Amino acid sequence: MSEVILILKREIDIKLEADAITPDSFAGKNAGEIENLPIWQGPKTYPLSDFFEVKGNGGSSAAETLIRIKGDVTRVKRIGEGMSAGNIEIEGSTGMHVGSGMKGGEILVSGDADSWAGMEMLGGLLHIKGNAGDHVGCAYRGKWHGMKGGRIVIEGSARHQLGGGMDGGEILVEGNVEGFCGIRQNGGLIVVKGRALRCVGAEMAAGTIVVGGAIERFNPGFEYTGMVDGFTQGGVELSGKFKKFTGDYAISKRAKGVLYVAADANPEL
Amino acid sequence: MAGTIAIKNGYVFDPLNEIKGEIMDIFIRDGKVVKELSAAELKNAKVIDASGMTVMPGGVDSHSHVAGAKVNAGRQMRPEDHYKATLKKTSLTHSGSGYTVPSVYKQGYDYAAMGYTTVFEAAIPPIEARHTHEEMKATPLLDMGGYLVLGNNFFLMRYIRDGDIEKAAAYVAWMMKTHKTYGIKCVNPAGVENWGWGKNVSSLDEANIHFEITPREVIKGLAEINERLGMPMPLHLHANNLGHPGCYAVTKDSLKIPAGVKPRQNLDVEWAETKMDPSRDRSVYLTHLMFNSFAGTTWGDCESGVKDIADYINNKDHVVIDSGCTPFGEATVMTGDGPAIHDLYTLTGNKWSNTDVEMECGSGVIPFTYLKSNPVHSLQWAMGLECLLLINDPWKTIMTTDSPNGGPFTKYPEVMTWLMSEAFRKQTFSECHKWANDRSELGGVNRELSLYDLAILTRANPAKTIGMAHRKGSLGVGADGDVTVYNINPQQLDPNNYEILLRTFRKAEYTVKGGEIVAVKGEIVSVPEKRTYYSEVHVEDEREKEMLADVKEWFRYYTLGFANYPTSEKYLENPTPIKVNGER
């Protein structure tokens, strides 16, 4: 596997749109060609070398290419967008839309990711070691269908609308989430080990959500169906007692969504 | 030389002149088709070598939703429709975005890329006419016009109920002039008004609330007014009960209402040379027939009722229809039929929007996806094509998708190919739900339209139907120099090889507008001026005065002042009035 190292040269004022940073577009290109890839800033495009120092050449294919990004890229958006294979390792935090619509390969973010991480993702692995913003694995604004496949792992916490409109795939959050986790979910699995704020699974029609901590305001459209003792979901082992609910019956009367909530953390439910 | 061009050696299809694929040259001078160019003119003219290619008049879309409040509402409520369909700015063209509801610029370029030069907006609510004109003005390349929605208008319902057809006609004439619109559109007559109270009407003889007028009376009244005024196009009807299983019966009965009304087109225009009589001979133009043709009683036992209506139309001469085909995929349903949109909302649960256009009409918008796997959607696909294939005379049919209701206009190439290729239809049958075959007659149809038929469905007949054949839809001397050149050799045309047809229809080899080449292989190469057409209907001053006294009295109930109501010419790009000699 060949490694391409991108080192941020300077502080960025207007945010960059860097959908060119993917193993797919780096594959088969040498450092010089990579330096010339276009990066949008506001209404203009610049060569990638205006912002990054490039070391190393791309591999023969996307799968043979590893991109290592050094420096603070929190103002760089769309890294790894639509990538189909290969690896990206971001040694710090990253901007919005990291891994949006990615189809395969792996992205590792050592720090935090801004909102829209893994938006409408189709496959591959997006691993965020820090926290994530809003709309992780979500559908684009106004769209019904979010993430369809692949896996997102967040070691920290995420904010609102995690997995909105999700059709398939898995999202695992070690920390907490805020409002509307799994809103309009149609399939797939969301596991939140920590707490959730409110409206978990609002308008969900199918799929599974597991919440290991307390839900501050529980969605009234769910119906209690029974207790479950420790189970495994998508390779994640969950111990302890869970209350099982189905819903959300607020819109559809035939909703098939399943919501497991830790019994100990939610005694009042 | 501006607007001067010679298109040489193409196989020309010009139905209004009964030219069926003869190898000919087409000459255009100063934007108009001429018999020939002098040697000096020819020297300066641009020359297109169309040998081995198909030449047709520029495409005319007589029913599309491209401008105005509801289209804009569609754009606003569908951000997801825009982020993947984007168009980059060039030194010549504007940027744009949107798939089913593109921005006005993208819309103009996309139509031109497919060989279309003329597009009419199918529904303009009077009070929103100014906004509609602003959008039409901003749409590049296309000659445009629009139909005024009048089927649930308070003034008209009152006049028609009171039997005061004279004042009603004067009102329509004044409204056309006031809002710079072209023809009369009638949406769910008497029913949309009931929608203000959460209701609809379900039969032609059910009177609505407050006005106590029936759909039958509205259709009859408007058809009579239309012919009394000598309007360019027939009454443009969107029948009652649209989109309900069993609605085909109401549709057929609605078509019978104007059967006795004699078409009378009285235009004061210069007619281009045509071999056949280009004036219209129909008294009703029913739109999106597919949506009005469901048989059965529920969505569970629903089937195609197109055959029955087609049989009726085959035996009558007063009806022309457009199809409203559904080519599968994303669509945005938008119509003046508020209750129909609400029904779709209860069916799908999608986000929706409804509006009551004060005292004039209503409207609604909802995103929709037509799926091959869905039984009803696959049936709708088959029905749309039935509308065009079961009616024998192509001069009674027009191809549309009711864009973006059945699908965006950019799907026309698919529809055109289905019509021309039985093999392509079979291919689609094999992919979609069996309802398409089981519950329609399309599977038994082996008719394949020729390029000549297609030229009728997409050019000659829309132009003739809406009264634009005096300058559009033909290549006769005096016609506008609007030409489409498709890279198809009719001698080598094989409808089984439908991939080639699809590719060719998606990007015309050349699109010529007013003698200027505007698009080459789908790329926009120039953006000449465009026009907006409207009907300037003459009625006696005295009659207009009497009517206006009523209108001014009623205007107390409008949210704007009478003086602010009209749309002035400055909102139109090259305003081009069509003089209509009403009541003369």
Side-chain angles (χ1 to χ4, degrees), chain A residues 40 45 78 81 97 119-120 139-145 184 203 251, chain B residues 77-84 88 330 345 349-351 367-369:
Chain A
W40 284 89
T45 57
R78 300 168 70 184
E81 181 171 289
H97 286 277
M119 182 190 95
E120 293 178 17
Y140 185 73
R141 292 222 186 276
K143 207 173 178 188
W144 292 265
H145 300 286
R184 275 187 281 109
E203 294 184 22
I251 303 284
Chain B
M77 72 192 273
R78 297 210 64 184
E80 80 281 10
D81 190 59
H82 289 255
Y83 85 111
K84 279 183 182 163
K88 230 168 116 177
E330 286 275 310
Y345 161 70
N350 286 356
K351 52 186 172 181
F368 204 87
T369 309

Tab-separated table of all heavy atoms in Angstrom, chain A residues 40 45 78 81 97 119-120 139-145 184 203 251, chain B residues 77-84 88 330 345 349-351 367-369:
chain	number	residue	atom	x	y	z
A	40	TRP	N	-12.047	23.513	-3.667
A	40	TRP	CA	-12.891	24.716	-3.702
A	40	TRP	C	-12.719	25.519	-2.419
A	40	TRP	O	-12.689	24.961	-1.327
A	40	TRP	CB	-14.352	24.341	-3.836
A	40	TRP	CG	-14.740	23.905	-5.211
A	40	TRP	CD1	-14.681	22.640	-5.697
A	40	TRP	CD2	-15.229	24.726	-6.275
A	40	TRP	NE1	-15.106	22.614	-7.008
A	40	TRP	CE2	-15.448	23.879	-7.380
A	40	TRP	CE3	-15.498	26.086	-6.395
A	40	TRP	CZ2	-15.927	24.353	-8.594
A	40	TRP	CZ3	-15.989	26.559	-7.602
A	40	TRP	CH2	-16.196	25.696	-8.694
A	45	THR	N	-11.642	27.747	-7.253
A	45	THR	CA	-10.857	26.532	-7.018
A	45	THR	C	-9.366	26.879	-7.006
A	45	THR	O	-8.919	27.790	-7.698
A	45	THR	CB	-11.082	25.464	-8.100
A	45	THR	OG1	-10.780	26.021	-9.365
A	45	THR	CG2	-12.490	24.929	-8.085
A	78	ARG	N	-15.682	17.666	3.595
A	78	ARG	CA	-15.901	16.631	2.572
A	78	ARG	C	-14.703	15.729	2.313
A	78	ARG	O	-14.544	15.184	1.219
A	78	ARG	CB	-16.379	17.287	1.275
A	78	ARG	CG	-17.679	18.050	1.478
A	78	ARG	CD	-18.031	18.925	0.320
A	78	ARG	NE	-18.417	18.132	-0.844
A	78	ARG	CZ	-18.706	18.647	-2.028
A	78	ARG	NH1	-18.667	19.944	-2.201
A	78	ARG	NH2	-19.031	17.881	-3.034
A	81	GLU	N	-15.230	12.016	0.752
A	81	GLU	CA	-16.607	11.939	0.245
A	81	GLU	C	-16.703	10.963	-0.938
A	81	GLU	O	-15.948	11.047	-1.898
A	81	GLU	CB	-17.078	13.327	-0.203
A	81	GLU	CG	-18.508	13.318	-0.722
A	81	GLU	CD	-19.041	14.719	-0.968
A	81	GLU	OE1	-19.292	15.421	0.024
A	81	GLU	OE2	-19.188	15.103	-2.133
A	97	HIS	N	-18.976	16.777	6.845
A	97	HIS	CA	-19.176	15.859	5.726
A	97	HIS	C	-18.043	14.867	5.531
A	97	HIS	O	-17.844	14.378	4.422
A	97	HIS	CB	-19.388	16.630	4.414
A	97	HIS	CG	-20.747	17.268	4.327
A	97	HIS	ND1	-21.853	16.588	3.918
A	97	HIS	CD2	-21.163	18.515	4.615
A	97	HIS	CE1	-22.896	17.388	3.943
A	97	HIS	NE2	-22.506	18.569	4.374
A	119	MET	N	-22.713	11.098	6.118
A	119	MET	CA	-24.046	11.355	5.558
A	119	MET	C	-24.330	10.427	4.362
A	119	MET	O	-23.499	10.293	3.471
A	119	MET	CB	-24.132	12.812	5.097
A	119	MET	CG	-25.487	13.191	4.540
A	119	MET	SD	-25.443	14.810	3.749
A	119	MET	CE	-25.170	14.333	2.050
A	120	GLU	N	-25.461	9.736	4.401
A	120	GLU	CA	-25.878	8.846	3.304
A	120	GLU	C	-24.795	7.850	2.914
A	120	GLU	O	-24.631	7.489	1.744
A	120	GLU	CB	-26.331	9.673	2.093
A	120	GLU	CG	-27.609	10.436	2.382
A	120	GLU	CD	-28.067	11.308	1.229
A	120	GLU	OE1	-27.598	11.101	0.105
A	120	GLU	OE2	-28.909	12.197	1.468
A	139	ALA	N	-29.712	11.538	6.536
A	139	ALA	CA	-30.100	11.896	5.172
A	139	ALA	C	-29.792	13.376	4.961
A	139	ALA	O	-29.762	14.147	5.913
A	139	ALA	CB	-31.586	11.638	4.971
A	140	TYR	N	-29.571	13.746	3.710
A	140	TYR	CA	-29.427	15.163	3.377
A	140	TYR	C	-30.718	15.888	3.749
A	140	TYR	O	-31.776	15.265	3.849
A	140	TYR	CB	-29.153	15.321	1.877
A	140	TYR	CG	-28.881	16.737	1.446
A	140	TYR	CD1	-27.674	17.340	1.756
A	140	TYR	CD2	-29.839	17.477	0.764
A	140	TYR	CE1	-27.414	18.646	1.384
A	140	TYR	CE2	-29.593	18.786	0.382
A	140	TYR	CZ	-28.374	19.368	0.695
A	140	TYR	OH	-28.130	20.657	0.337
A	141	ARG	N	-30.652	17.179	3.941
A	141	ARG	CA	-31.835	17.963	4.307
A	141	ARG	C	-32.998	17.693	3.359
A	141	ARG	O	-32.854	17.797	2.152
A	141	ARG	CB	-31.511	19.447	4.239
A	141	ARG	CG	-30.543	19.891	5.279
A	141	ARG	CD	-30.963	21.219	5.871
A	141	ARG	NE	-29.946	21.733	6.780
A	141	ARG	CZ	-29.844	21.388	8.052
A	141	ARG	NH1	-30.702	20.538	8.577
A	141	ARG	NH2	-28.903	21.882	8.809
A	142	GLY	N	-34.118	17.331	3.942
A	142	GLY	CA	-35.319	17.133	3.144
A	142	GLY	C	-35.427	15.752	2.543
A	142	GLY	O	-36.451	15.379	2.012
A	143	LYS	N	-34.361	14.955	2.616
A	143	LYS	CA	-34.398	13.625	2.016
A	143	LYS	C	-34.901	12.620	3.042
A	143	LYS	O	-34.783	12.824	4.238
A	143	LYS	CB	-32.994	13.259	1.546
A	143	LYS	CG	-33.009	12.286	0.392
A	143	LYS	CD	-31.621	12.088	-0.148
A	143	LYS	CE	-31.653	11.071	-1.271
A	143	LYS	NZ	-30.317	10.711	-1.689
A	144	TRP	N	-35.439	11.502	2.557
A	144	TRP	CA	-36.002	10.502	3.463
A	144	TRP	C	-34.992	9.440	3.850
A	144	TRP	O	-35.120	8.798	4.849
A	144	TRP	CB	-37.204	9.823	2.821
A	144	TRP	CG	-38.361	10.724	2.656
A	144	TRP	CD1	-39.403	10.863	3.520
A	144	TRP	CD2	-38.593	11.635	1.599
A	144	TRP	NE1	-40.266	11.801	3.044
A	144	TRP	CE2	-39.799	12.287	1.883
A	144	TRP	CE3	-37.890	11.964	0.435
A	144	TRP	CZ2	-40.325	13.257	1.040
A	144	TRP	CZ3	-38.419	12.925	-0.391
A	144	TRP	CH2	-39.612	13.556	-0.091
A	145	HIS	N	-34.013	9.206	2.964
A	145	HIS	CA	-33.153	8.048	3.163
A	145	HIS	C	-31.731	8.456	3.497
A	145	HIS	O	-31.068	9.128	2.707
A	145	HIS	CB	-33.195	7.159	1.930
A	145	HIS	CG	-34.586	6.678	1.645
A	145	HIS	ND1	-35.194	5.705	2.398
A	145	HIS	CD2	-35.507	7.090	0.741
A	145	HIS	CE1	-36.417	5.521	1.958
A	145	HIS	NE2	-36.636	6.350	0.965
A	184	ARG	N	-36.987	8.999	11.844
A	184	ARG	CA	-37.425	8.408	10.564
A	184	ARG	C	-36.549	7.240	10.127
A	184	ARG	O	-36.333	7.016	8.941
A	184	ARG	CB	-37.506	9.467	9.479
A	184	ARG	CG	-38.833	10.195	9.493
A	184	ARG	CD	-39.001	11.133	8.318
A	184	ARG	NE	-38.292	12.373	8.512
A	184	ARG	CZ	-37.214	12.714	7.855
A	184	ARG	NH1	-36.716	11.923	6.933
A	184	ARG	NH2	-36.632	13.857	8.100
A	203	GLU	N	-40.757	8.884	14.684
A	203	GLU	CA	-41.253	8.512	13.358
A	203	GLU	C	-40.506	7.343	12.749
A	203	GLU	O	-40.530	7.142	11.525
A	203	GLU	CB	-41.214	9.706	12.393
A	203	GLU	CG	-42.170	10.811	12.805
A	203	GLU	CD	-42.204	11.960	11.805
A	203	GLU	OE1	-41.847	11.747	10.642
A	203	GLU	OE2	-42.599	13.063	12.204
A	251	ILE	N	-47.113	8.113	13.568
A	251	ILE	CA	-47.507	8.330	12.170
A	251	ILE	C	-48.132	7.057	11.622
A	251	ILE	O	-49.298	7.015	11.274
A	251	ILE	CB	-46.294	8.732	11.299
A	251	ILE	CG1	-45.621	9.992	11.867
A	251	ILE	CG2	-46.705	8.919	9.845
A	251	ILE	CD1	-46.323	11.288	11.609
B	77	MET	N	-39.293	23.384	-0.901
B	77	MET	CA	-39.511	22.277	0.031
B	77	MET	C	-38.683	21.052	-0.312
B	77	MET	O	-38.743	20.050	0.368
B	77	MET	CB	-41.008	21.939	0.124
B	77	MET	CG	-41.612	21.267	-1.076
B	77	MET	SD	-43.420	21.251	-0.963
B	77	MET	CE	-43.678	19.760	-0.025
B	78	ARG	N	-37.874	21.129	-1.378
B	78	ARG	CA	-37.093	19.960	-1.768
B	78	ARG	C	-35.601	20.263	-1.882
B	78	ARG	O	-35.027	20.156	-2.976
B	78	ARG	CB	-37.587	19.428	-3.102
B	78	ARG	CG	-39.028	18.944	-3.083
B	78	ARG	CD	-39.259	17.831	-4.059
B	78	ARG	NE	-38.482	16.650	-3.702
B	78	ARG	CZ	-38.446	15.547	-4.440
B	78	ARG	NH1	-39.098	15.479	-5.566
B	78	ARG	NH2	-37.724	14.509	-4.059
B	79	PRO	N	-34.949	20.600	-0.793
B	79	PRO	CA	-33.500	20.822	-0.909
B	79	PRO	C	-32.783	19.589	-1.444
B	79	PRO	O	-31.802	19.693	-2.162
B	79	PRO	CB	-33.068	21.125	0.530
B	79	PRO	CG	-34.178	20.647	1.397
B	79	PRO	CD	-35.422	20.750	0.585
B	80	GLU	N	-33.331	18.403	-1.109
B	80	GLU	CA	-32.672	17.162	-1.525
B	80	GLU	C	-32.735	16.961	-3.032
B	80	GLU	O	-32.025	16.126	-3.584
B	80	GLU	CB	-33.305	15.972	-0.792
B	80	GLU	CG	-34.617	15.457	-1.367
B	80	GLU	CD	-35.842	16.286	-1.003
B	80	GLU	OE1	-35.668	17.392	-0.438
B	80	GLU	OE2	-36.963	15.846	-1.301
B	81	ASP	N	-33.611	17.714	-3.683
B	81	ASP	CA	-33.742	17.582	-5.127
B	81	ASP	C	-32.614	18.335	-5.841
B	81	ASP	O	-32.424	18.204	-7.032
B	81	ASP	CB	-35.099	18.158	-5.557
B	81	ASP	CG	-35.430	17.855	-7.004
B	81	ASP	OD1	-35.487	16.666	-7.349
B	81	ASP	OD2	-35.605	18.810	-7.778
B	82	HIS	N	-31.899	19.129	-5.088
B	82	HIS	CA	-30.956	20.050	-5.722
B	82	HIS	C	-29.489	19.705	-5.554
B	82	HIS	O	-28.686	20.046	-6.396
B	82	HIS	CB	-31.195	21.466	-5.196
B	82	HIS	CG	-32.475	22.048	-5.716
B	82	HIS	ND1	-32.518	22.995	-6.693
B	82	HIS	CD2	-33.751	21.751	-5.425
B	82	HIS	CE1	-33.770	23.272	-6.977
B	82	HIS	NE2	-34.542	22.528	-6.216
B	83	TYR	N	-29.122	19.019	-4.466
B	83	TYR	CA	-27.687	18.988	-4.196
B	83	TYR	C	-26.909	18.034	-5.078
B	83	TYR	O	-25.709	18.169	-5.209
B	83	TYR	CB	-27.423	18.750	-2.701
B	83	TYR	CG	-27.419	17.308	-2.240
B	83	TYR	CD1	-26.238	16.701	-1.826
B	83	TYR	CD2	-28.582	16.576	-2.197
B	83	TYR	CE1	-26.232	15.398	-1.388
B	83	TYR	CE2	-28.580	15.275	-1.755
B	83	TYR	CZ	-27.406	14.688	-1.353
B	83	TYR	OH	-27.394	13.403	-0.925
B	84	LYS	N	-27.607	17.085	-5.692
B	84	LYS	CA	-26.867	16.190	-6.582
B	84	LYS	C	-26.995	16.577	-8.052
B	84	LYS	O	-26.185	16.168	-8.864
B	84	LYS	CB	-27.333	14.742	-6.379
B	84	LYS	CG	-26.674	14.112	-5.163
B	84	LYS	CD	-27.072	12.660	-5.006
B	84	LYS	CE	-26.444	12.066	-3.754
B	84	LYS	NZ	-27.122	10.825	-3.361
B	88	LYS	N	-22.781	23.806	-13.597
B	88	LYS	CA	-21.756	24.813	-13.342
B	88	LYS	C	-21.942	26.007	-14.264
B	88	LYS	O	-22.359	25.851	-15.410
B	88	LYS	CB	-20.376	24.192	-13.587
B	88	LYS	CG	-19.402	24.422	-12.457
B	88	LYS	CD	-18.177	23.553	-12.631
B	88	LYS	CE	-16.942	24.388	-12.832
B	88	LYS	NZ	-15.724	23.572	-12.926
B	330	GLU	N	-37.896	9.767	-9.506
B	330	GLU	CA	-38.303	10.906	-8.697
B	330	GLU	C	-39.218	11.850	-9.468
B	330	GLU	O	-39.016	12.077	-10.671
B	330	GLU	CB	-37.054	11.692	-8.289
B	330	GLU	CG	-36.236	11.011	-7.227
B	330	GLU	CD	-36.745	11.310	-5.836
B	330	GLU	OE1	-36.957	12.497	-5.528
B	330	GLU	OE2	-36.938	10.356	-5.064
B	345	TYR	N	-50.995	12.772	0.053
B	345	TYR	CA	-50.314	12.868	1.338
B	345	TYR	C	-50.779	11.749	2.275
B	345	TYR	O	-49.963	11.083	2.911
B	345	TYR	CB	-50.538	14.236	1.988
B	345	TYR	CG	-50.239	14.196	3.462
B	345	TYR	CD1	-48.917	14.064	3.897
B	345	TYR	CD2	-51.245	14.215	4.414
B	345	TYR	CE1	-48.624	13.956	5.241
B	345	TYR	CE2	-50.960	14.110	5.752
B	345	TYR	CZ	-49.649	13.980	6.169
B	345	TYR	OH	-49.360	13.863	7.495
B	349	GLY	N	-47.637	9.833	3.191
B	349	GLY	CA	-47.037	10.428	4.386
B	349	GLY	C	-45.881	11.357	4.080
B	349	GLY	O	-45.185	11.810	4.982
B	350	ASN	N	-45.648	11.646	2.809
B	350	ASN	CA	-44.563	12.575	2.452
B	350	ASN	C	-44.887	14.000	2.888
B	350	ASN	O	-46.044	14.340	3.110
B	350	ASN	CB	-44.338	12.568	0.943
B	350	ASN	CG	-43.645	11.305	0.480
B	350	ASN	OD1	-43.270	10.471	1.297
B	350	ASN	ND2	-43.487	11.152	-0.813
B	351	LYS	N	-43.842	14.814	2.948
B	351	LYS	CA	-44.070	16.225	3.260
B	351	LYS	C	-44.916	16.855	2.154
B	351	LYS	O	-44.721	16.563	0.977
B	351	LYS	CB	-42.733	16.948	3.390
B	351	LYS	CG	-41.806	16.752	2.200
B	351	LYS	CD	-40.447	17.365	2.441
B	351	LYS	CE	-39.483	16.988	1.322
B	351	LYS	NZ	-38.147	17.532	1.504
B	367	PRO	N	-43.639	15.725	-2.893
B	367	PRO	CA	-42.654	14.904	-3.603
B	367	PRO	C	-43.167	13.469	-3.751
B	367	PRO	O	-43.938	12.999	-2.902
B	367	PRO	CB	-41.429	14.929	-2.679
B	367	PRO	CG	-41.686	15.999	-1.688
B	367	PRO	CD	-43.162	16.116	-1.565
B	368	PHE	N	-42.758	12.807	-4.796
B	368	PHE	CA	-43.269	11.468	-5.071
B	368	PHE	C	-42.196	10.671	-5.798
B	368	PHE	O	-41.425	11.217	-6.573
B	368	PHE	CB	-44.516	11.574	-5.962
B	368	PHE	CG	-45.437	10.400	-5.855
B	368	PHE	CD1	-46.421	10.364	-4.875
B	368	PHE	CD2	-45.314	9.314	-6.714
B	368	PHE	CE1	-47.270	9.277	-4.760
B	368	PHE	CE2	-46.162	8.229	-6.603
B	368	PHE	CZ	-47.146	8.205	-5.627
B	369	THR	N	-42.141	9.374	-5.542
B	369	THR	CA	-41.208	8.514	-6.281
B	369	THR	C	-41.999	7.380	-6.916
B	369	THR	O	-42.701	6.644	-6.222
B	369	THR	CB	-40.142	7.928	-5.335
B	369	THR	OG1	-39.572	8.992	-4.581
B	369	THR	CG2	-39.046	7.240	-6.131
